[in-house]
């Protein structure tokens, strides 16, 4: 995400993007009205807060990069098309953003656009293995990994606000697990093996979630 123009803004002390479309506004950490975490308003305030923490140079650099690494999706997702057609706005960042989905890991080769479109519409198959992960289990695992990543990123000791964020994510994952357990009870009898495997995976994720929060509790002591 660190394109040349973006880094010039950072070096000049004016990080972040000018938020005009406001499609991704969600953060109220420093403002009453929600702003985007890629905006100049948010990143300037976040860096100001970071400087007040008196971190070591290494920790400061890591946290600083996490802040400025956020970039404007509203502009970046469409930028490749604008650049290709020679109509990109020169006053805006020329950084191109690509957001591949987690299913990308199931593809083992590069294919042409026509082949991929055919795959999407069922005319052909470009995935070598038919043993695809259950999408609900995959989703829960991604949330669990995100929770671990968030915990590793937080500066210790964890603040009360950070604990609330972690607990909220945990409660959402737990609700999802319970919903899927109830859903599995409605599986057709012909899919008994699938049901058992699905339920087993839910229990494993639930166990790992509890173990993670045991670690968080130990960090408080």
């Amino acid at each position: 995400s660190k394109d040349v123009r973006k880094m010039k803004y950072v070096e000049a002390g004016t990080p972040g993007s000018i938020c005009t479309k406001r499609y991704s506004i969600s953060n109220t950490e420093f403002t009453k009205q929600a702003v985007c975490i890629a905006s100049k308003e948010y990143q300037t305030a976040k860096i100001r807060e970071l400087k007040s923490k008196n971190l070591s140079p290494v920790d400061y650099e890591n946290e600083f990069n996490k802040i400025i690494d956020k970039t404007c999706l509203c502009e970046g997702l469409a930028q490749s098309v604008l650049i290709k057609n020679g109509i990109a706005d020169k006053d805006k960042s020329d950084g191109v953003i690509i957001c591949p989905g987690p299913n990308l890991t199931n593809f083992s080769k590069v294919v042409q656009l026509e082949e991929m479109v055919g795959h999407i519409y069922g005319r052909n198959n470009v995935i070598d293995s038919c043993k695809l992960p259950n999408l609900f289990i995959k989703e829960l695992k991604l949330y669990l990994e995100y929770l671990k990543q968030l915990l590793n990123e937080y500066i210790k000791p964890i603040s009360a606000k950070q604990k609330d964020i972690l607990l909220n994510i945990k409660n959402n994952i737990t609700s999802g697990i319970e919903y899927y357990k109830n859903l599995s009870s409605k599986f057709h009898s012909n899919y008994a093996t699938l049901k058992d495997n699905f339920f087993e995976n839910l229990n494993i994720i639930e166990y790992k979630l509890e173990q993670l929060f045991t670690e968080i509790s130990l960090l408080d002591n």
Side-chain angles (χ1 to χ4, degrees):
S1 298
K2 297 183 181 67
D3 59 86
V4 175
R5 186 175 289 123
K6 177 178 178 179
M7 291 312 297
K8 285 183 178 178
Y9 287 141
V10 171
E11 291 168 3
T14 56
S17 305
I18 298 174
C19 189
T20 54
K21 294 184 171 64
R22 299 179 65 80
Y23 294 140
S24 298
I25 56 173
S26 61
N27 188 283
T28 55
E29 190 175 350
F30 303 105
T31 55
K32 290 183 178 179
Q33 291 188 329
V35 297
C36 176
I37 57 175
S39 68
K40 289 184 178 294
E41 186 174 9
Y42 174 81
Q43 292 193 5
T44 299
K46 194 67 177 175
I47 291 172
R48 188 186 304 119
E49 179 192 59
L50 182 63
K51 289 178 178 178
S52 69
K53 293 182 177 180
N54 297 318
L55 301 177
S56 68
V58 174
D59 287 340
Y60 179 87
E61 184 71 15
N62 289 336
E63 295 301 314
F64 181 81
N65 286 332
K66 290 175 188 175
I67 296 169
I68 66 168
D69 195 47
K70 305 294 187 298
T71 194
C72 180
L73 292 175
C74 300
E75 300 293 343
L77 289 175
Q79 198 70 5
S80 59
V81 177
L82 300 179
I83 293 173
K84 181 177 176 61
N85 290 280
I87 54 176
D89 190 333
K90 295 180 180 180
D91 293 329
K92 295 180 180 177
S93 169
D94 50 12
V96 174
I97 302 172
I98 300 174
C99 294
N103 284 334
L104 185 67
T105 58
N106 299 322
F107 294 88
S108 57
K109 58 185 178 182
V110 176
V111 298
Q112 297 298 315
L113 177 61
E114 186 177 356
E115 294 178 275
M116 182 58 71
V117 172
H119 174 82
I120 293 171
Y121 286 98
R123 293 192 291 269
N124 56 280
N125 179 27
V126 298
I127 299 180
D128 294 333
S129 174
C130 62
K131 295 183 179 179
L132 298 177
N134 182 282
L135 72 145
F136 298 123
I137 297 298
K138 182 73 173 180
E139 181 184 45
L140 286 171
K141 287 181 177 179
L142 287 172
Y143 285 134
L144 189 61
E145 287 301 315
Y146 172 71
L147 191 59
K148 290 179 182 177
Q149 180 183 340
L150 206 58
L151 178 61
N152 290 333
E153 289 177 355
Y154 282 158
I155 299 171
K156 311 305 182 291
I158 299 174
S159 69
K161 185 172 183 178
Q162 290 170 334
K163 290 176 189 174
D164 287 341
I165 292 172
L166 294 171
L167 187 59
N168 185 52
I169 296 173
K170 180 197 175 188
N171 290 338
N172 286 334
I173 296 175
T174 301
S175 296
I177 292 172
E178 290 304 314
Y179 174 77
Y180 292 146
K181 282 184 177 180
N182 292 330
L183 188 67
S184 67
S185 66
K186 300 177 182 179
F187 283 12
H188 194 279
S189 58
N190 291 344
Y191 300 101
T193 302
L194 177 63
K195 175 182 176 180
D196 291 343
N197 182 263
F198 185 68
F199 204 84
E200 180 183 355
N201 274 291
L202 290 175
N203 285 332
I204 291 172
I205 293 171
E206 190 172 35
Y207 173 77
K208 289 182 177 179
L209 183 63
E210 292 302 325
Q211 286 294 103
L212 181 60
F213 269 78
T214 299
E215 295 175 18
I216 294 173
S217 297
L218 291 174
L219 288 173
D220 291 340
N221 297 330

